[in-house]
Amino acid sequence: MKVDALVAEIGSTTTVINAFDKLDSENPKFIGSGYSPTTVLEGDVTIGLNNAISMLCKKLNVKNLDAKETFASSSAAGGLKMSVHGLVYDMTVKAAKEAALGAGANIKMITSGLLDDYQIDEIKTSPLNIIMIAGGVDFGERTTAIENSKKIASLKLNIPVIYAGNIQNQNIIKNIFKENNQLEYLFISKNVYPKIDVLEVDESRKIIQDVFEKHIIHAPGMEKVKSVIKENIIPTPGAVMEASILLKESIGDLVTIDIGGATTDIHSVTEGKAEIEKILIAPEPFAKRTVEGDLGVYINKDNIIEMITKERLIRKLNLNENDYNKIIENYKPIPINGQIPLTEELAKEAMIQSIERHSGRLIDMYTGSGKTTYAEGKDLTNVKYIIATGGALTRLPNKLTIIKEALSKKNSKILKPDEKTQVLIDQDYIMASIGVLSKKHPEAALKILKNSLGIE
């Protein structure tokens, strides 16, 4: 069977293959998906990729699939692991962090100011894919980024380093890396914080994804990936962000929520309300991602149970303690039968906590002229749509109730969406694949995503 495109989502535990066809027509289609355990740890990711394709062939009742183009997103082996080093935490460090998270990174280390010996040792021993150096507004402070570059270049780690600081330093940074025989690993970006209260993270985000694609094929277990995948490979969270940005341009401000077994990712694409922007004490990116590493409905279920408390859960689920303990003892990654109500309660709490952490808030400050209200963080009060993706919010039977109840929790100080916000479910669970596909086929990708979300 011939199709236009196969898009792989190579996860840490599962590899999914999605097939798409008629991408150049008025009616592009999602054909179906297959999955298999990921085989990076076995030393060859293509085993899992080919197994997933075989499963899809069986579902479609065909002998083989011949695709014109093959794409992928990956979060295998910890995904895109980065460290970020800037000058002032609330300024250049924050800007660099936003660029990294928006690109889909898993940030392992953040520092501000001059790196000390302990931090240098941590960089040497951390399993990093990319290092980002920032610091200084354009034509401002220069020393910190230069000294940090000298220390990092001298380590000769042979991994990509992105410089996104004061533009006056660019040639000096190039010479530093050249002197250390590391120039081939250096990538120069626009300053992520060129002026006070100005964030410019789009170019850095694109460079991070481009660098990831060039170097992911050298990661252990991924060396053969280009024998199967011929086109773009980007980090899976970055692909979800790309799909969110694409959709926002068509339907308006939105938040995408992905509750997984280990983490909960929130992607917001909104400028917020004008009246809130006027009282913001620090700038926020147009497209923002946060990762809550303690909020997962399988690997991190115990964290969420502790937040809710075991006693409240037993009452909510109308169970006795013995039945509750049996459910916990036999809890599966994909919940079955009596486990589903528990998973729904965990998903609801994960959503409540992650939305509140992602959202900005109103704060009162006292000055000589009295109390004044300011805002800090991301304003989500202008959001029109909640986009639900990921296993929990696309497969649980009461997913709409979970989302509405989570949004109904009131706190007038938190700048979050309310229960009136329209909820759209990614029924085909293809958001990450759509983000990858949109790099080359944006119009077709948007139509297929809207169909999955039930948008005419």
Side-chain angles (χ1 to χ4, degrees), residues 63-179:
K63 289 186 177 180
N64 55 59
L65 280 170
D66 181 14
K68 292 180 186 176
E69 298 173 311
T70 49
F71 306 81
S73 70
S74 177
S75 57
L80 167 55
K81 300 179 287 293
M82 285 186 65
S83 66
V84 171
H85 312 281
L87 176 58
V88 178
Y89 183 82
D90 288 332
M91 295 180 179
T92 53
V93 177
K94 178 184 175 183
K97 183 181 77 169
E98 296 292 357
L101 286 171
N106 178 0
I107 299 180
K108 294 295 185 181
M109 181 182 182
I110 296 173
T111 67
S112 60
L114 289 169
L115 289 164
D116 60 35
D117 291 342
Y118 297 102
Q119 291 166 334
I120 289 297
D121 286 341
E122 187 176 346
I123 292 171
K124 280 196 293 188
T125 56
S126 295
L128 301 173
N129 302 120
I130 300 174
I131 294 170
M132 183 175 234
I133 301 171
V137 298
D138 287 344
F139 307 100
E141 199 273 353
R142 302 178 65 184
T143 304
T144 300
I146 291 172
E147 293 303 314
N148 286 345
S149 295
K150 287 178 181 177
K151 292 180 178 182
I152 289 170
S154 68
L155 296 175
K156 295 181 171 58
L157 297 174
N158 298 337
I159 63 173
V161 175
I162 297 171
Y163 175 70
N166 186 339
I167 61 170
Q168 281 187 296
N169 286 343
Q170 289 181 356
N171 287 332
I172 296 172
I173 302 296
K174 288 177 184 176
N175 287 332
I176 290 169
F177 277 78
K178 185 177 181 180
E179 290 166 3

Side-chain angles (χ1 to χ4, degrees), residues 149-286:
S149 295
K150 287 178 181 177
K151 292 180 178 182
I152 289 170
S154 68
L155 296 175
K156 295 181 171 58
L157 297 174
N158 298 337
I159 63 173
V161 175
I162 297 171
Y163 175 70
N166 186 339
I167 61 170
Q168 281 187 296
N169 286 343
Q170 289 181 356
N171 287 332
I172 296 172
I173 302 296
K174 288 177 184 176
N175 287 332
I176 290 169
F177 277 78
K178 185 177 181 180
E179 290 166 3
N180 287 276
N181 296 316
Q182 295 290 296
L183 188 58
E184 66 178 295
Y185 299 103
L186 178 67
F187 299 82
I188 302 291
S189 170
K190 287 181 181 176
N191 194 346
V192 290
Y193 197 81
K195 299 177 183 178
I196 297 295
D197 290 344
V198 174
L199 298 184
E200 289 190 4
V201 300
D202 289 348
E203 181 175 301
S204 293
R205 190 171 66 212
K206 183 179 184 303
I207 290 173
I208 291 167
Q209 290 188 351
D210 289 345
V211 171
F212 174 79
E213 181 172 5
K214 289 175 184 174
H215 289 266
I216 187 64
I217 60 173
H218 303 298
M222 297 286 287
E223 296 94 336
K224 297 180 182 179
V225 70
K226 277 296 183 180
S227 66
V228 178
I229 305 300
K230 306 298 183 184
E231 305 289 337
N232 297 85
I233 304 174
I234 65 176
T236 298
V240 175
M241 178 63 87
E242 294 293 335
S244 300
I245 294 171
L246 178 76
L247 188 62
K248 188 273 176 193
E249 292 171 355
S250 176
I251 68 173
D253 293 12
L254 57 85
V255 172
T256 299
I257 303 175
D258 182 349
I259 299 174
T263 68
T264 295
D265 278 26
I266 306 284
H267 303 76
S268 62
V269 192
T270 176
E271 292 171 342
K273 290 180 178 175
E275 55 266 37
I276 297 296
E277 187 177 7
K278 289 177 183 177
I279 59 172
L280 270 177
I281 60 176
E284 286 289 322
F286 168 65

Side-chain angles (χ1 to χ4, degrees), residues 57 74 76 101 118 143 162 189 235 268 288 364 371 387 391-393 402 424 432 446 450 456:
C57 287
S74 177
L101 286 171
Y118 297 102
T143 304
I162 297 171
S189 170
S268 62
K288 180 184 181 79
D364 294 326
K371 185 172 74 172
I387 311 299
L393 294 184
I402 291 169
L424 302 173
L446 180 60
K450 282 185 170 183
E456 292 297 330

Side-chain angles (χ1 to χ4, degrees), residues 304-320:
I304 304 178
I305 290 171
E306 189 174 338
M307 292 173 188
I308 302 171
T309 74
K310 174 181 173 180
E311 292 72 24
R312 281 181 61 207
L313 267 177
I314 288 174
R315 287 199 304 272
K316 282 186 173 187
L317 299 171
N318 196 26
L319 296 171
N320 60 49

Side-chain angles (χ1 to χ4, degrees), residues 13-33:
T13 57
T14 304
T15 293
V16 178
I17 286 282
N18 291 312
F20 302 91
D21 202 21
K22 302 187 186 304
L23 296 179
D24 295 325
S25 73
E26 289 295 314
N27 190 26
K29 293 185 179 298
F30 166 62
I31 303 299
S33 63

